[in-house]
């Protein structure tokens, strides 16, 4: 399991975190995600904050037509016509099936991240966070860990 930081427009991110959108489509830029990865959502402008996360339940790789066929078979994924622009017909993309979407108890704003790590820039699409990275542990402690602590109270 890896921690993956993904940039997403607020409307799409909210739909995932509210459970209305159960799949995310992406071009493959840094290798495909793996089932079991935790995907942390950075909601882009105007929100500019890490606001939630989900577990990648399954990951399908294929061209647009193949992924559309799979989505139709699975049904109820909350994908709309315009979502398919994120994958190409001539290159493989991925469809990430969302599981257990959760909102951060306290979002982590971009300006907070930059104040601690001046070099930090949100990814254009997604990036894997390394466990030896201070950014990894900040995001884990500020977003993921508090959610699970709240369940133990």
């Amino acid at each position: 399991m890896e921690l993956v930081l993904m940039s997403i427009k607020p409307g799409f991110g909210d739909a995932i975190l509210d459970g209305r959108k159960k799949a995310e489509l992406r071009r493959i830029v840094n290798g495909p995600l793996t089932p079991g990865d935790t995907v942390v959502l950075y909601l882009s402008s105007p929100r500019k904050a890490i606001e939630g996360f989900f577990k990648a339940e399954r990951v399908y790789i294929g061209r647009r037509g193949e992924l559309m066929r799979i989505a139709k078979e699975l049904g109820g994924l909350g994908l709309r016509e315009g979502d398919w622009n994120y994958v190409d017909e001539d290159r493989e993309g991925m469809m990430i099936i969302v599981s257990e979407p959760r909102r951060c108890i306290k979002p982590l704003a971009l300006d907070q991240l930059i104040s601690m790590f001046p070099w930090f820039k949100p990814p254009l699409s997604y990036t894997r966070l390394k466990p030896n990275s201070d950014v990894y542990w900040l995001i884990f402690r500020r977003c993921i860990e508090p959610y699970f602590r709240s369940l133990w109270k």
Side-chain angles (χ1 to χ4, degrees):
M1 179 204 81
E2 290 190 291
L3 200 61
V4 176
L5 179 60
M6 181 178 287
S7 292
I8 191 166
K9 293 179 183 176
F12 296 117
D14 285 333
I16 287 172
L17 296 172
D18 294 341
R20 292 178 279 124
K21 188 172 182 225
K22 296 174 176 37
E24 174 63 11
L25 299 166
R26 289 287 159 146
R27 292 179 183 100
I28 298 174
V29 293
N30 293 320
L33 273 62
T34 304
D37 285 349
T38 298
V39 180
V40 176
L41 295 179
Y42 168 78
L43 277 56
S44 61
S45 187
R47 305 255 280 274
K48 298 182 183 179
I50 293 172
E51 295 198 16
F53 60 96
F54 67 86
K55 178 181 164 193
E57 182 176 311
R58 284 174 280 161
V59 179
Y60 296 95
I61 307 295
R63 290 181 171 80
R64 183 186 303 150
E66 295 169 73
L67 295 176
M68 288 177 94
R69 180 187 54 74
I70 294 167
K72 187 176 180 180
E73 287 174 11
L74 294 173
L77 296 178
L79 294 170
R80 299 179 310 197
E81 186 83 22
D83 294 341
W84 293 101
N85 295 331
Y86 286 95
V87 290
D88 298 324
E89 187 52 53
D90 57 341
R91 284 187 18 202
E92 286 190 326
M94 65 181 159
M95 180 170 59
I96 306 154
I97 304 300
V98 172
S99 176
E100 305 171 36
R102 304 286 185 245
R103 286 196 181 270
C104 298
I105 292 171
K106 185 176 178 187
L108 181 56
L110 178 60
D111 60 353
Q112 292 174 302
L113 278 161
I114 291 174
S115 72
M116 299 169 100
F117 308 107
W119 49 264
F120 179 82
K121 289 186 177 152
L124 294 176
S125 183
Y126 63 93
T127 190
R128 288 174 179 76
L129 298 173
K130 304 289 183 211
N132 62 350
S133 151
D134 290 336
V135 172
Y136 176 105
W137 288 107
L138 175 65
I139 291 170
F140 183 85
R141 287 188 187 113
R142 287 285 305 275
C143 188
I144 298 169
E145 191 175 75
Y147 170 76
F148 288 103
R149 276 197 193 141
S150 73
L151 296 177
W152 299 328
K153 291 182 179 180

